[in-house]
Amino acid sequence: MKARWSSRLSFIMATTGAAVGLGNIWKFPYMAGENGGGVFVFLYLCFVVLIGVPTLIAEILIGRLGRDNSVKSLRKLAKSAGASPKWEYLGWWGALGLVLVLSFYSVIGGFSIGYLVEMALHGLKHLQSVKSVELFFQQFLADPYNLLKWHTLFMFSTLGVVALGVRSGLERASNILMPGLFLVLFILMVYSVIVGNFAMAFDFLLKPRLELVTPMVVINALGHAFFTLAIGAGAMLVYGAYLPQKTPIGSSVCIIAALDVLVAIFSGLAIFSIVFAYQLPIAGGPGLMFKVLPVAFSHMPAGQWFGALFFLLLLFAAWTSSISMAEPLVVLLTDRSKMNRTFAALIVGLSCWLLGVCALLSFNVWSEVRLFGCYNIFTAMADLTTNIILPSGGLLFVLFVGWVLPEPKDRSLVIRNVVWFQLWRFLVRFIAPAGILVCFICNLV
Ligand code: PHE
């Protein structure tokens, strides 16, 4: 594979773009709300540091050593280490995860387009009370054609960027979009600190009440750490394959993880300040952000435009992440079938679009359909990937790097400092696999 990021900064921007997305702004607040607040955030932070960061380094390293799509990279490296070429199945497992994530992700990405258009065209006069926003959201979900329109737009615009290739598509999009998002999020947080109930939000999100730990909270926090860091499915592996030869991985990964966590905490604080100020229900589920933020925007000076800008940037964050899900699939398909990039993007887009349609119907026409006894189609797809496919993929990635591959010859290409390098090896070999296994077992018993 010949494509490379043009600089270390571009690599950091693109990987941060993959990590920072709907997971931070849409998912993190409602997961925290449903899982005990501070205790979820505390576990999530521990998992990011002890398991997420070492796994992310491992995944990017596989990409850089293999320099190919995830399946081929794993096969090549396994063979050269004298291990079974069956490790390539891990690449397929990750690809399955990416297909599922991209499908439901596009539905929520579509919601942001819908809200953006609503704010820009109709303003916020009809969205001033908590009740009217709730009603608007219900009507928004109830109309499958409306959701279908936005989902289709989101999916095909994502695949359009991917079809353009690494430098003119992926790299350019992230360099422009990411800094804008940070700025708007910061302004939103300052605003909610001033007008919202910041003290309660802070207390709720950042004071761990350990008595609230349950196996479900543990597995949700672990899954969320994998989801926000975009690890366990091979997306970061492929981004690592485009890494210029001399870039050390460790320091870049720490920047990416720090930005990822900061965005999540900022959004959580902004959203919960408003939730508490307006006495909205904490456990608002996947609709939380869409029900809370319009209330805040409608009371802000120039709120219509600020709201539109927010949803525009949310859309950008969602795009950069969904690009990172589609890219590995497109690369895999072009390598396997020899079809060109544009055609492969079209096939990936169509397949994920179709699955996404099933997910969006679970908000209306198929709302009664249950899978595995209790989940609707959307939550089944979201929970299966987040809590099972990504962590199990991550487990196999760390086992592969920690126990199958030989220790990297030139350690400075991974982490320059010897002590940090040794710590990373220890985390990858022992702590990360044990941690993931314990979480899985906890959840089974
Ligand atoms: N990290 C992305 C987010 O937080 C989601 C993602 C998951 C991206 C898996 C790529 C792979 O929104």
Side-chain angles (χ1 to χ4, degrees), residues 400-420:
F400 186 69
V401 168
W403 297 95
V404 176
L405 290 188
E407 195 174 309
K409 275 190 230 95
D410 185 358
R411 65 172 60 150
S412 70
L413 288 180
V414 186
I415 300 175
R416 287 215 177 100
N417 179 296
V418 182
V419 179
W420 286 111

Side-chain angles (χ1 to χ4, degrees), residues 156 159 333 339 341-353:
F156 289 98
L159 272 303
L333 208 59
M339 62 176 76
R341 200 172 168 94
T342 311
F343 196 64
L346 191 68
I347 305 274
V348 169
L350 275 177
S351 329
C352 296
W353 175 83

